Amino acid sequence: QSLREVLLFTEHRVAAVPASSPLADKREIHVLDLADHPLVINSLSGTTTLSLWPDGRKPVVAVEVDTVDDWQTYIAAGMGLGVTLASTAWMYPHSEISYLPIRGAPSVPVYLVWASNNRHPALRSFIELVLDVVA
């Protein structure tokens, strides 16, 4: 089964740091500066892997988790920093985490994807609605 896709937009990455960290006072952080801190990775639903950093400048992974809640819990507890999409900051606010813009990291493409053999009568209308909303 093949898939069809359309690029909706690209989304910037942000660093998630404990609100108690001195980093929380920064206006932004460079992706290479994050390599100096342990990293919390959401390996199931996250978009961050160690390939974001060049060889020789990769951070140490403090812990890998499977949920956003666990990811935030470890970051808030000071176990490490996180890297995520900007939408995480408003979709999953957390009083003990500050989200900082990251310089030097590529944006993440966000696609609408559907099966090419999908014959649902509302599919075309849904695609048009999504494209209108993001336009």
Side-chain angles (χ1 to χ4, degrees):
Q1 173 171 312
S2 63
L3 300 175
R4 308 251 346 243
E5 67 182 35
V6 61
L7 176 65
L8 299 177
F9 54 87
T10 59
E11 191 167 352
H12 298 291
R13 296 176 194 262
V14 295
V17 304
S20 60
S21 168
L23 293 175
D25 295 330
K26 292 183 171 275
R27 291 185 51 160
E28 65 181 10
I29 191 164
H30 195 280
V31 67
L32 292 179
D33 294 333
L34 295 171
D36 299 329
H37 302 273
L39 190 66
V40 179
I41 290 182
N42 179 343
S43 57
L44 184 64
S45 62
T47 57
T48 301
T49 66
L50 291 179
S51 65
L52 188 60
W53 290 269
D55 289 340
R57 287 289 293 166
K58 296 185 186 300
V60 172
V61 176
V63 64
E64 286 190 43
V65 298
D66 295 335
T67 69
V68 174
D69 289 334
D70 289 344
W71 179 80
Q72 287 184 314
T73 299
Y74 279 102
I75 293 168
M79 298 296 295
L81 309 181
V83 175
T84 188
L85 301 178
S87 60
T88 303
W90 60 266
M91 290 176 65
Y92 299 96
H94 195 292
S95 62
E96 297 177 44
I97 295 176
S98 295
Y99 293 96
L100 309 171
I102 298 176
R103 284 184 295 113
S107 295
V108 177
V110 177
Y111 292 91
L112 176 63
V113 180
W114 64 96
S116 61
N117 65 352
N118 186 324
R119 301 289 180 246
H120 192 283
L123 178 62
R124 182 60 43 209
S125 295
F126 175 73
I127 294 168
E128 290 173 6
L129 175 64
V130 170
L131 294 174
D132 284 346
V133 168
V134 299

